[in-house]
Amino acid sequence: MAEITAALVKELREKTGAGMLDCKKALVEAQGNLDNAVDWLRKKGLAAAAKKAGRVASQGLVAALAEENKGVLLEVNSETDFVAMNDEFQKFVTDVLNVAMNKNGNIEEIKKAPLAGKTVEDTLTDLIAKIGENLNIRRAKAISVPEGVVVSYVHGAVSAGKGKIAVLIALESKADKNALQQLGKQIAMHVAAAAPNALNIEDVNPEDLEREKNILAEQARNSGKPENIIAKMLEGRLRKYYEEVVLLEQNYVVDPDKKVKDVIAEASKNLETPIKITGFIRYALGEGIEKKEENFAAEVAAQLKN
């Protein structure tokens, strides 16, 4: 019999989506033969999730939880929007969100954490088999401040703390917490709408900045202006770029005549104590997932042909 190693158990688990203990038992029964172990799991109904693992899951829910000076965001994906309305799926998201808060958004620790007498990952596998769709705990991230508040906002909420866009804002300050909560909610709503990429100019991704500089410089040179004018044009266009992608430089959506940094400065003055945004997180459901292109005309034509 082939040696049943941890690597072999891991490989079987990735192939089938079954739980670790079930995979180990299957390999024992199959005397270490991977293909036979897969068959054993299928016969037992424990590999029901395997067929679904390759299907694109870009629907689902993003969720937010904030408690005083700490918060966490989570995204759990499904294949269809219909499943996102399922009470059992929503309960699972809530349960995992609480685990994510305790695990500081560490996705690997979240998956290994206990839930309903199993691990989160094995509970997910059971839910996949029950619902009949591929489900995926895609990402999680936590944020905190030493003093102040972390405020959450969910746009398009389908239930408490769960929806299509979720935002956390961290405000560091000694100001009254109720006042900070109100300010944080407004800034979080702005982030949901404006989708900034960075908090400060210094935080802009260097590769993105270099790419933008090259594009703007080429556009300026195409104008035929002399180099000294081009330099000024580039400076102005970069300033405009920062206003688009940097939170503190963006025009405030509630009052476009002010920048977000002006709103923070005014609040600091009114509350007579410094306020600083130390970070933010914004999750939009399914962003970055390569979705399958659906061609319904071709699909209907193929069905008619068959």
Side-chain angles (χ1 to χ4, degrees), residues 38-55:
V38 172
D39 291 343
W40 187 90
L41 286 168
R42 291 184 63 191
K43 289 172 184 176
K44 297 292 183 182
L46 298 171
K51 295 178 182 178
K52 303 163 181 72
R55 305 206 302 234

PDB file of all heavy atoms in Angstrom, residues 38-55:
ATOM      1  N   VAL A  38     -10.928   8.838  -5.040  1.00  0.00           N
ATOM      2  CA  VAL A  38     -11.926   9.745  -5.607  1.00  0.00           C
ATOM      3  C   VAL A  38     -13.240   8.998  -5.824  1.00  0.00           C
ATOM      4  O   VAL A  38     -14.326   9.483  -5.476  1.00  0.00           O
ATOM      5  CB  VAL A  38     -11.431  10.353  -6.942  1.00  0.00           C
ATOM      6  CG1 VAL A  38     -12.558  11.137  -7.634  1.00  0.00           C
ATOM      7  CG2 VAL A  38     -10.244  11.274  -6.707  1.00  0.00           C
ATOM      8  N   ASP A  39     -13.150   7.794  -6.398  1.00  0.00           N
ATOM      9  CA  ASP A  39     -14.349   6.983  -6.637  1.00  0.00           C
ATOM     10  C   ASP A  39     -15.054   6.653  -5.327  1.00  0.00           C
ATOM     11  O   ASP A  39     -16.284   6.675  -5.242  1.00  0.00           O
ATOM     12  CB  ASP A  39     -13.977   5.689  -7.366  1.00  0.00           C
ATOM     13  CG  ASP A  39     -13.517   5.948  -8.799  1.00  0.00           C
ATOM     14  OD1 ASP A  39     -13.795   7.051  -9.305  1.00  0.00           O
ATOM     15  OD2 ASP A  39     -12.895   5.047  -9.396  1.00  0.00           O
ATOM     16  N   TRP A  40     -14.263   6.324  -4.294  1.00  0.00           N
ATOM     17  CA  TRP A  40     -14.835   5.975  -2.990  1.00  0.00           C
ATOM     18  C   TRP A  40     -15.627   7.158  -2.422  1.00  0.00           C
ATOM     19  O   TRP A  40     -16.750   6.979  -1.933  1.00  0.00           O
ATOM     20  CB  TRP A  40     -13.713   5.573  -2.028  1.00  0.00           C
ATOM     21  CG  TRP A  40     -14.191   5.028  -0.713  1.00  0.00           C
ATOM     22  CD1 TRP A  40     -14.460   3.725  -0.410  1.00  0.00           C
ATOM     23  CD2 TRP A  40     -14.466   5.773   0.484  1.00  0.00           C
ATOM     24  NE1 TRP A  40     -14.884   3.603   0.895  1.00  0.00           N
ATOM     25  CE2 TRP A  40     -14.897   4.855   1.467  1.00  0.00           C
ATOM     26  CE3 TRP A  40     -14.385   7.126   0.824  1.00  0.00           C
ATOM     27  CZ2 TRP A  40     -15.250   5.232   2.766  1.00  0.00           C
ATOM     28  CZ3 TRP A  40     -14.744   7.510   2.108  1.00  0.00           C
ATOM     29  CH2 TRP A  40     -15.166   6.586   3.054  1.00  0.00           C
ATOM     30  N   LEU A  41     -15.054   8.353  -2.532  1.00  0.00           N
ATOM     31  CA  LEU A  41     -15.730   9.558  -2.038  1.00  0.00           C
ATOM     32  C   LEU A  41     -17.006   9.837  -2.831  1.00  0.00           C
ATOM     33  O   LEU A  41     -18.030  10.218  -2.267  1.00  0.00           O
ATOM     34  CB  LEU A  41     -14.790  10.765  -2.112  1.00  0.00           C
ATOM     35  CG  LEU A  41     -13.671  10.810  -1.067  1.00  0.00           C
ATOM     36  CD1 LEU A  41     -12.651  11.873  -1.431  1.00  0.00           C
ATOM     37  CD2 LEU A  41     -14.229  11.078   0.325  1.00  0.00           C
ATOM     38  N   ARG A  42     -16.936   9.641  -4.135  1.00  0.00           N
ATOM     39  CA  ARG A  42     -18.116   9.885  -4.973  1.00  0.00           C
ATOM     40  C   ARG A  42     -19.233   8.921  -4.626  1.00  0.00           C
ATOM     41  O   ARG A  42     -20.407   9.292  -4.560  1.00  0.00           O
ATOM     42  CB  ARG A  42     -17.744   9.767  -6.447  1.00  0.00           C
ATOM     43  CG  ARG A  42     -16.838  10.904  -6.951  1.00  0.00           C
ATOM     44  CD  ARG A  42     -16.583  10.785  -8.431  1.00  0.00           C
ATOM     45  NE  ARG A  42     -17.823  10.917  -9.188  1.00  0.00           N
ATOM     46  CZ  ARG A  42     -17.920  10.649 -10.501  1.00  0.00           C
ATOM     47  NH1 ARG A  42     -16.865  10.213 -11.162  1.00  0.00           N
ATOM     48  NH2 ARG A  42     -19.064  10.793 -11.125  1.00  0.00           N
ATOM     49  N   LYS A  43     -18.859   7.661  -4.411  1.00  0.00           N
ATOM     50  CA  LYS A  43     -19.863   6.656  -4.052  1.00  0.00           C
ATOM     51  C   LYS A  43     -20.526   6.985  -2.723  1.00  0.00           C
ATOM     52  O   LYS A  43     -21.706   6.698  -2.509  1.00  0.00           O
ATOM     53  CB  LYS A  43     -19.211   5.267  -3.981  1.00  0.00           C
ATOM     54  CG  LYS A  43     -18.827   4.702  -5.347  1.00  0.00           C
ATOM     55  CD  LYS A  43     -18.020   3.421  -5.193  1.00  0.00           C
ATOM     56  CE  LYS A  43     -17.548   2.911  -6.548  1.00  0.00           C
ATOM     57  NZ  LYS A  43     -16.673   1.717  -6.410  1.00  0.00           N
ATOM     58  N   LYS A  44     -19.765   7.571  -1.818  1.00  0.00           N
ATOM     59  CA  LYS A  44     -20.292   7.935  -0.507  1.00  0.00           C
ATOM     60  C   LYS A  44     -21.028   9.275  -0.524  1.00  0.00           C
ATOM     61  O   LYS A  44     -21.575   9.710   0.480  1.00  0.00           O
ATOM     62  CB  LYS A  44     -19.151   8.011   0.521  1.00  0.00           C
ATOM     63  CG  LYS A  44     -18.430   6.692   0.763  1.00  0.00           C
ATOM     64  CD  LYS A  44     -19.325   5.682   1.451  1.00  0.00           C
ATOM     65  CE  LYS A  44     -18.556   4.411   1.755  1.00  0.00           C
ATOM     66  NZ  LYS A  44     -19.425   3.384   2.393  1.00  0.00           N
ATOM     67  N   GLY A  45     -20.985   9.930  -1.694  1.00  0.00           N
ATOM     68  CA  GLY A  45     -21.638  11.238  -1.796  1.00  0.00           C
ATOM     69  C   GLY A  45     -20.858  12.352  -1.155  1.00  0.00           C
ATOM     70  O   GLY A  45     -21.390  13.435  -0.900  1.00  0.00           O
ATOM     71  N   LEU A  46     -19.582  12.108  -0.883  1.00  0.00           N
ATOM     72  CA  LEU A  46     -18.758  13.106  -0.196  1.00  0.00           C
ATOM     73  C   LEU A  46     -17.986  14.004  -1.148  1.00  0.00           C
ATOM     74  O   LEU A  46     -17.327  14.937  -0.720  1.00  0.00           O
ATOM     75  CB  LEU A  46     -17.777  12.403   0.762  1.00  0.00           C
ATOM     76  CG  LEU A  46     -18.443  11.609   1.880  1.00  0.00           C
ATOM     77  CD1 LEU A  46     -17.411  10.784   2.641  1.00  0.00           C
ATOM     78  CD2 LEU A  46     -19.176  12.545   2.833  1.00  0.00           C
ATOM     79  N   ALA A  47     -18.057  13.706  -2.434  1.00  0.00           N
ATOM     80  CA  ALA A  47     -17.351  14.526  -3.418  1.00  0.00           C
ATOM     81  C   ALA A  47     -18.340  15.325  -4.252  1.00  0.00           C
ATOM     82  O   ALA A  47     -18.054  15.719  -5.362  1.00  0.00           O
ATOM     83  CB  ALA A  47     -16.479  13.655  -4.324  1.00  0.00           C
ATOM     84  N   ALA A  48     -19.502  15.559  -3.696  1.00  0.00           N
ATOM     85  CA  ALA A  48     -20.539  16.278  -4.433  1.00  0.00           C
ATOM     86  C   ALA A  48     -20.095  17.668  -4.834  1.00  0.00           C
ATOM     87  O   ALA A  48     -20.542  18.207  -5.837  1.00  0.00           O
ATOM     88  CB  ALA A  48     -21.805  16.360  -3.596  1.00  0.00           C
ATOM     89  N   ALA A  49     -19.212  18.257  -4.035  1.00  0.00           N
ATOM     90  CA  ALA A  49     -18.753  19.621  -4.331  1.00  0.00           C
ATOM     91  C   ALA A  49     -17.743  19.652  -5.459  1.00  0.00           C
ATOM     92  O   ALA A  49     -17.507  20.701  -6.048  1.00  0.00           O
ATOM     93  CB  ALA A  49     -18.125  20.231  -3.087  1.00  0.00           C
ATOM     94  N   ALA A  50     -17.137  18.516  -5.783  1.00  0.00           N
ATOM     95  CA  ALA A  50     -16.043  18.500  -6.746  1.00  0.00           C
ATOM     96  C   ALA A  50     -16.477  18.961  -8.131  1.00  0.00           C
ATOM     97  O   ALA A  50     -15.763  19.680  -8.812  1.00  0.00           O
ATOM     98  CB  ALA A  50     -15.449  17.097  -6.830  1.00  0.00           C
ATOM     99  N   LYS A  51     -17.665  18.532  -8.563  1.00  0.00           N
ATOM    100  CA  LYS A  51     -18.138  18.888  -9.896  1.00  0.00           C
ATOM    101  C   LYS A  51     -18.356  20.386 -10.037  1.00  0.00           C
ATOM    102  O   LYS A  51     -18.341  20.925 -11.120  1.00  0.00           O
ATOM    103  CB  LYS A  51     -19.451  18.161 -10.193  1.00  0.00           C
ATOM    104  CG  LYS A  51     -19.316  16.645 -10.272  1.00  0.00           C
ATOM    105  CD  LYS A  51     -20.676  16.024 -10.515  1.00  0.00           C
ATOM    106  CE  LYS A  51     -20.598  14.504 -10.545  1.00  0.00           C
ATOM    107  NZ  LYS A  51     -21.945  13.897 -10.726  1.00  0.00           N
ATOM    108  N   LYS A  52     -18.583  21.031  -8.911  1.00  0.00           N
ATOM    109  CA  LYS A  52     -18.908  22.455  -8.943  1.00  0.00           C
ATOM    110  C   LYS A  52     -17.687  23.350  -8.790  1.00  0.00           C
ATOM    111  O   LYS A  52     -17.758  24.549  -8.986  1.00  0.00           O
ATOM    112  CB  LYS A  52     -19.929  22.766  -7.844  1.00  0.00           C
ATOM    113  CG  LYS A  52     -21.189  21.920  -7.990  1.00  0.00           C
ATOM    114  CD  LYS A  52     -22.004  21.918  -6.735  1.00  0.00           C
ATOM    115  CE  LYS A  52     -23.247  21.048  -6.910  1.00  0.00           C
ATOM    116  NZ  LYS A  52     -22.962  19.621  -6.941  1.00  0.00           N
ATOM    117  N   ALA A  53     -16.552  22.766  -8.421  1.00  0.00           N
ATOM    118  CA  ALA A  53     -15.373  23.562  -8.075  1.00  0.00           C
ATOM    119  C   ALA A  53     -14.839  24.374  -9.239  1.00  0.00           C
ATOM    120  O   ALA A  53     -14.211  25.405  -9.037  1.00  0.00           O
ATOM    121  CB  ALA A  53     -14.278  22.652  -7.525  1.00  0.00           C
ATOM    122  N   GLY A  54     -15.074  23.930 -10.471  1.00  0.00           N
ATOM    123  CA  GLY A  54     -14.542  24.648 -11.625  1.00  0.00           C
ATOM    124  C   GLY A  54     -15.451  25.740 -12.135  1.00  0.00           C
ATOM    125  O   GLY A  54     -15.087  26.476 -13.044  1.00  0.00           O
ATOM    126  N   ARG A  55     -16.653  25.850 -11.580  1.00  0.00           N
ATOM    127  CA  ARG A  55     -17.598  26.827 -12.076  1.00  0.00           C
ATOM    128  C   ARG A  55     -17.330  28.195 -11.456  1.00  0.00           C
ATOM    129  O   ARG A  55     -16.941  28.301 -10.311  1.00  0.00           O
ATOM    130  CB  ARG A  55     -19.023  26.360 -11.778  1.00  0.00           C
ATOM    131  CG  ARG A  55     -19.295  24.960 -12.345  1.00  0.00           C
ATOM    132  CD  ARG A  55     -20.746  24.694 -12.633  1.00  0.00           C
ATOM    133  NE  ARG A  55     -21.615  24.825 -11.491  1.00  0.00           N
ATOM    134  CZ  ARG A  55     -22.460  23.874 -11.082  1.00  0.00           C
ATOM    135  NH1 ARG A  55     -22.468  22.703 -11.690  1.00  0.00           N
ATOM    136  NH2 ARG A  55     -23.268  24.082 -10.065  1.00  0.00           N
TER     137      ARG A  55
END
